[in-house]
């Protein structure tokens, strides 16, 4: 049996071969690798490893740990991919796609050709992430194009499909395109990744987030996210997406705990900058919330989301000067992102600066799509325009704005609770 994976070949008879030729392995390590390759990405428990490789002989857990280390040393992916993955408390798996055949068929790629493709894919994905980190609409569009190029080179790359799904999800979250359309594209890419690797935790998380907060299929979305967390609960981004979905389910205390886990795992995540403070506010912890958003802007002075979150929390607590200052700074950092202007508009309106609020509202409404942002509803409500606030939220529901789920627990929109037109928009539990 021949196994082809990440630029390597493993032949049951000839052993392991890499780009530079044969790679010697200990007999036990060869058995271990054959077991993992045969599982094709599924998690192999330590008990199963012990039985298959050591034939039930008494060995310490450290023997398996050392074998994992030796295989990792032998199998260094050309793009930095971790080929041998340990799933904490569960077992070990192959973290890349494995292709099996019964011989070295004529016309198949050489190891060198496979490596060349992987290097090209890695280059495209590195460029894609660099572009996405700039966070502007044009850069996100370019990042999506680069990820698609990686897929064109290697359609079986789980990483490329997952990266594409991630960027499409970012488009939806920032409302750079119609969220329902971006969400559908994200789910399509995630499903392709899952066809290649059913245990791809990131793809499950992205699909679950779209279901819960855009498609409003909350229970189904949470099921995907919880399946992702069973594979690995150490991915900060998944914990953050889970928090958002729990908010859609009305479980704000659980959501705050998940966002705490997200922040603990990665305090420097730009996507989640300041969000812990917002979640703590929703969970009824105003003092903790305020301290957290103030800390976030110190930790992330150049990230507009951190200032936006501080503005929203301060505004909800009627600290109007602080809310306006932070909202203005968010706009300065991201002038081309109308969605970011919505927090500033709300802070101005709630702070009594009606004329300035109208100007900020017009800046948001310069983008027809951003005018459907749920964040804008609190600005209209503060100006005494309840009908316009409801209309904004209805448009948000129509386009699948993911921020809408926060509207039902946002203290700035408290006076809408119980209004039939507002309550009809509330997501169900199905």
């Amino acid at each position: 049996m021949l196994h082809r994976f990440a630029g390597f070949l493993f032949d049951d008879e000839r052993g392991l071969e890499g780009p530079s030729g044969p790679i010697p392995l200990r007999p036990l390590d060869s058995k271990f690798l054959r077991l993992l390759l045969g599982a094709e990405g599924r998690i192999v428990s330590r008990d199963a490893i012990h039985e298959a490789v050591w034939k039930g002989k008494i060995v310490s857990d450290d023997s398996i740990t050392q074998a994992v280390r030796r295989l990792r040393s032998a199998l260094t992916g050309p793009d930095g991919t971790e080929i041998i993955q340990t799933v904490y408390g569960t077992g070990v798996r192959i973290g890349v796609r494995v292709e099996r055949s019964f011989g070295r068929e004529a016309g198949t790629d050489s190891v060198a050709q496979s490596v060349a493709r992987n290097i090209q894919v890695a280059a495209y994905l590195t460029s894609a992430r660099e572009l996405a980190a700039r966070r502007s609409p044009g850069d996100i569009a370019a990042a999506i194009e680069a990820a698609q190029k990686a897929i064109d080179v290697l359609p079986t790359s789980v990483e490329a499909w997952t990266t594409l799904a991630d960027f499409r999800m970012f488009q939806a979250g920032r409302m750079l395109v119609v969220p329902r359309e971006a969400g559908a594209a994200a789910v399509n890419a995630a499903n392709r990744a899952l066809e290649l690797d059913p245990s791809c935790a990131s793809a499950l998380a992205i699909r679950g987030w779209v279901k819960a907060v855009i498609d409003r299929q909350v229970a189904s979305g949470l099921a995907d996210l919880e399946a992702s967390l069973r594979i690995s609960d150490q991915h900060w981004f998944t914990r953050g997406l889970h928090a958002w979905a729990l908010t859609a389910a009305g479980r704000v205390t659980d959501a705050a705990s998940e966002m705490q886990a997200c922040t603990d795992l990665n305090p420097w995540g730009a996507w989640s900058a300041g969000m812990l403070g917002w979640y703590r506010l929703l969970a009824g912890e105003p003092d903790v919330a305020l301290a957290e958003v103030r800390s976030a802007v110190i930790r992330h002075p150049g990230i507009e989301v951190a200032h936006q979150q501080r503005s929203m929390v301060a505004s909800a607590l009627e600290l109007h000067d602080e809310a306006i200052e932070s909202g203005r700074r968010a706009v300065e950092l991201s002038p081309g992102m109308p969605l970011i202007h919505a927090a500033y508009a709300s802070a101005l309106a709630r702070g009594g600066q009606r004329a300035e609020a109208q100007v900020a509202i017009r800046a948001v409404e310069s983008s027809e799509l951003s005018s459907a942002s749920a964040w804008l509803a609190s600005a209209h409500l503060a100006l005494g325009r309840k009908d316009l606030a409801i209309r904004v939220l209805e448009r948000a529901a129509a386009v699948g704005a993911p921020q809408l789920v926060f509207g039902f627990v946002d203290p700035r929109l408290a006076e809408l609770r119980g209004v039939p037109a507002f309550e009809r928009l509330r997501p169900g539990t199905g």
Side-chain angles (χ1 to χ4, degrees):
M1 177 70 70
L2 176 68
H3 298 84
R4 190 183 299 271
F5 61 102
F8 293 88
L9 297 175
F10 182 78
D11 191 309
D12 286 345
E13 296 180 0
R14 298 173 61 177
L16 181 64
E17 181 182 340
S20 301
I23 300 171
L25 293 177
R26 300 182 183 187
L28 281 174
D29 293 349
S30 289
K31 286 184 181 179
F32 191 3
L33 180 57
R34 185 182 299 112
L35 175 67
L36 296 178
L37 291 169
E40 296 184 306
R42 295 184 297 276
I43 298 169
V44 183
S45 71
R46 285 184 169 259
D47 286 345
I49 295 167
H50 180 247
E51 181 60 34
V53 178
W54 279 272
K55 302 299 183 183
K57 293 180 181 177
I58 298 175
V59 295
S60 68
D61 281 348
D62 188 57
S63 297
I64 295 176
T65 301
Q66 292 300 325
V68 168
R69 289 175 182 167
R70 289 193 299 270
L71 285 180
R72 282 180 175 158
S73 178
L75 296 169
T76 302
D79 57 356
T81 301
E82 187 177 82
I83 294 174
I84 306 295
Q85 298 179 353
T86 300
V87 181
Y88 181 76
T90 306
V92 185
R93 68 189 288 266
I94 287 285
V96 295
R97 178 168 173 75
V98 178
E99 298 176 1
R100 295 194 298 173
S101 62
F102 289 95
R104 299 181 181 239
E105 305 92 335
T108 58
D109 286 347
S110 68
V111 173
Q113 288 173 315
S114 295
V115 170
R117 282 208 317 270
N118 287 337
I119 290 173
Q120 190 175 9
V121 167
Y124 280 134
L125 294 181
T126 298
S127 297
R129 294 185 184 103
E130 289 172 349
L131 288 162
R134 299 175 189 170
R135 304 167 69 81
S136 75
D139 286 320
I140 295 299
I144 288 170
E145 185 177 354
Q148 186 61 60
K149 288 284 189 183
I151 290 168
D152 293 342
V153 171
L154 188 60
T156 57
S157 172
V158 174
E159 183 184 9
W161 282 111
T162 304
T163 301
L164 178 61
D166 194 359
F167 296 155
R168 288 296 192 184
M169 180 180 65
F170 189 93
Q171 276 189 319
R174 285 300 188 89
M175 296 184 67
L176 302 179
V177 298
V178 176
R180 287 202 189 283
E181 295 176 2
V187 168
N188 179 65
N191 282 337
R192 294 298 298 273
L194 289 165
E195 288 170 6
L196 296 165
D197 179 2
S199 61
C200 180
S202 295
L204 278 168
I206 291 167
R207 188 175 72 179
W209 179 84
V210 173
K211 286 181 180 179
V213 307
I214 293 179
D215 298 337
R216 296 151 68 85
Q217 299 171 8
V218 180
S220 179
L222 282 171
D224 272 350
L225 281 155
E226 287 158 8
S228 174
L229 289 168
R230 283 194 295 273
I231 296 168
S232 174
D233 62 359
Q234 297 300 299
H235 189 188
W236 69 276
F237 193 61
T238 300
R239 303 298 288 265
L241 296 181
H242 190 213
W244 203 324
L246 287 168
T247 304
R251 295 165 54 186
V252 290
T253 301
D254 292 339
S257 295
E258 276 297 85
M259 187 51 68
Q260 182 70 64
C262 168
T263 304
D264 290 344
L265 287 166
N266 184 9
W268 302 278
W271 172 84
S272 58
M275 285 191 177
L276 177 57
W278 175 245
Y279 278 86
R280 289 298 182 194
L281 177 74
L282 301 181
E285 303 174 73
D287 293 340
V288 176
L290 188 60
E292 178 58 35
V293 291
R294 286 172 174 172
S295 174
V297 297
I298 295 172
R299 193 164 59 245
H300 303 278
I303 301 297
E304 77 285 357
V305 174
H307 296 275
Q308 180 194 39
Q309 301 300 308
R310 182 185 180 189
S311 180
M312 293 194 301
V313 169
S315 180
L317 298 177
E318 299 188 0
L319 300 171
H320 300 304
D321 290 343
E322 182 174 352
I324 291 168
E325 176 191 357
S326 292
R328 182 183 296 116
R329 181 57 181 150
V331 169
E332 290 170 353
L333 288 167
S334 192
M337 193 78 70
L339 184 62
I340 296 297
H341 293 236
Y344 183 42
S346 178
L348 289 166
R350 289 173 61 85
Q353 298 190 24
R354 298 180 65 88
E356 294 87 343
Q358 296 280 15
V359 172
I361 289 171
R362 285 195 292 272
V364 179
E365 292 176 340
S366 65
S367 163
E368 182 178 352
L369 189 55
S370 290
S371 69
S373 163
W375 298 139
L376 191 60
S378 64
H380 286 306
L381 197 61
L383 295 174
R385 301 186 302 207
K386 184 181 292 188
D387 58 333
L388 287 181
I390 294 288
R391 200 174 307 164
V392 164
L393 295 170
E394 288 172 340
R395 289 203 302 270
V399 301
Q403 296 83 11
L404 178 61
V405 300
F406 292 105
F408 304 100
V409 289
D410 186 343
R412 299 173 301 167
L413 300 181
E415 68 178 275
L416 293 179
R417 292 171 197 164
V419 175
F422 177 68
E423 294 298 334
R424 281 195 295 270
L425 303 175
R426 193 180 292 275
T429 58

